[in-house]
Amino acid sequence: KNQVEQSPQSLIILEGKNCTLQCNYTVSPFSNLRWYKQDTGRGPVSLTIMTFSENTKSNGRYTATLDADTKQSSLHITASQLSDSASYICVVSARAGANNLFFGTGTRLTVIP
Amino acid sequence: GAVVSQHPSRVICKSGTSVKIECRSLDFQATTMFWYRQFPKQSLMLMATSNEGSKATYEQGVEKDKFLINHASLTLSTLTVTSAHPEDSSFYICSAARVTSGGANEQFFGPGTRLTVL
């Protein structure tokens, strides 16, 4: 069964601290993995997209890693800001196409001053 | 580039009425658009896949006669919730597919529409 699981469900950190969000998946065959940021009441915004051959990809203060062997990915946020408070969703594509996406339930991050 | 808009952003309607939500790809042509529904603290759930000029493909459990989808052009898809009931209250998100510069087929999401049925 194709599934995407994220941990933790929620996280509270102090402004300026770093944090790491986890994503485990059982989707097969694997095409790519994406991390999205979703602010409350808004649509998801893409942070990174990684294919099978990519181990790390950065986007500013966001760094995603992918281990295709263990089917795990992480999203590391450095020097967190209040505006980082949002849900972070891991999405795995099963084929080389846009249609077959499997969504994680997300990690709700709250950054406090 | 790759901007997707939705209108309206919020709508409140009475039970039994119909509501239309528009999804537009502003700066690219999208042969395929998708409609999702998201309940509080849950992930996005795909409702249907919409291809320009053809009938939409609905996911299991989604009533096609209740959620009417029209994809009239390469930049516009509409979702009409017919005879809305309070249980239809949800956050509806559309996305549009585009091939990126790297050759990957990627979905770009709209900002969502909050539907409240009284």
Side-chain angles (χ1 to χ4, degrees):
Chain A
K1 185 178 178 181
N2 292 315
Q3 284 186 318
V4 179
E5 295 183 349
Q6 292 186 241
S7 62
Q9 272 193 331
S10 61
L11 182 63
I12 301 174
I13 62 173
L14 290 174
E15 184 180 11
K17 297 296 185 181
N18 304 336
C19 67
T20 301
L21 315 180
Q22 300 292 340
C23 174
N24 297 334
Y25 62 93
T26 58
V27 178
S28 181
F30 173 86
S31 177
N32 58 63
L33 183 146
R34 315 147 197 245
W35 282 93
Y36 287 90
K37 178 185 179 186
Q38 185 179 21
D39 292 310
T40 301
R42 307 291 293 173
V45 175
S46 179
L47 296 176
T48 63
I49 176 171
M50 289 184 293
T51 59
F52 184 89
S53 59
E54 296 175 295
N55 301 119
T56 304
K57 183 163 283 188
S58 293
N59 178 1
R61 293 180 297 102
Y62 302 104
T63 299
T65 65
L66 174 65
D67 186 333
D69 292 329
T70 61
K71 298 188 177 181
Q72 295 179 326
S73 175
S74 66
L75 180 69
H76 186 73
I77 305 174
T78 59
S80 61
Q81 301 175 359
L82 298 179
S83 58
D84 292 334
S85 295
S87 287
Y88 291 84
I89 305 173
C90 175
V91 181
V92 180
S93 178
R95 285 192 287 270
N99 299 15
N100 211 12
L101 300 185
F102 295 88
F103 290 78
T105 53
T107 292
R108 178 69 203 177
L109 174 66
T110 303
V111 181
I112 58 176
Chain B
V3 179
V4 177
S5 70
Q6 280 184 242
H7 178 79
S9 57
R10 289 176 178 269
V11 57
I12 301 173
C13 68
K14 292 182 179 180
S15 185
T17 61
S18 294
V19 175
K20 179 185 284 189
I21 303 170
E22 292 186 349
C23 176
R24 294 180 185 273
S25 55
L26 298 184
D27 51 1
F28 66 100
Q29 293 184 328
T31 53
T32 307
M33 289 185 171
F34 306 84
W35 287 96
Y36 295 85
R37 183 166 50 183
Q38 185 178 33
F39 292 106
K41 296 186 179 180
Q42 294 186 22
S43 192
L44 282 71
M45 293 177 57
L46 180 65
M47 298 176 65
T49 302
S50 168
N51 291 295
E52 186 265 339
S54 62
K55 290 184 178 180
T57 303
Y58 290 82
E59 295 298 301
Q60 192 173 13
V62 178
E63 300 175 57
K64 62 180 181 181
D65 294 329
K66 180 169 183 62
F67 298 99
L68 301 179
I69 292 173
N70 184 283
H71 196 154
S73 75
L74 289 173
T75 59
L76 173 64
S77 176
T78 60
L79 168 69
T80 301
V81 183
T82 62
S83 187
H85 288 275
E87 56 264 32
D88 297 326
S89 299
S90 186
F91 192 52
Y92 292 86
I93 303 174
C94 75
S95 71
R98 192 194 77 168
V99 178
T100 64
S101 57
N105 206 0
E106 187 169 359
Q107 291 188 32
F108 297 89
F109 291 88
T113 296
R114 171 71 61 191
L115 170 63
T116 303
V117 184
L118 302 176

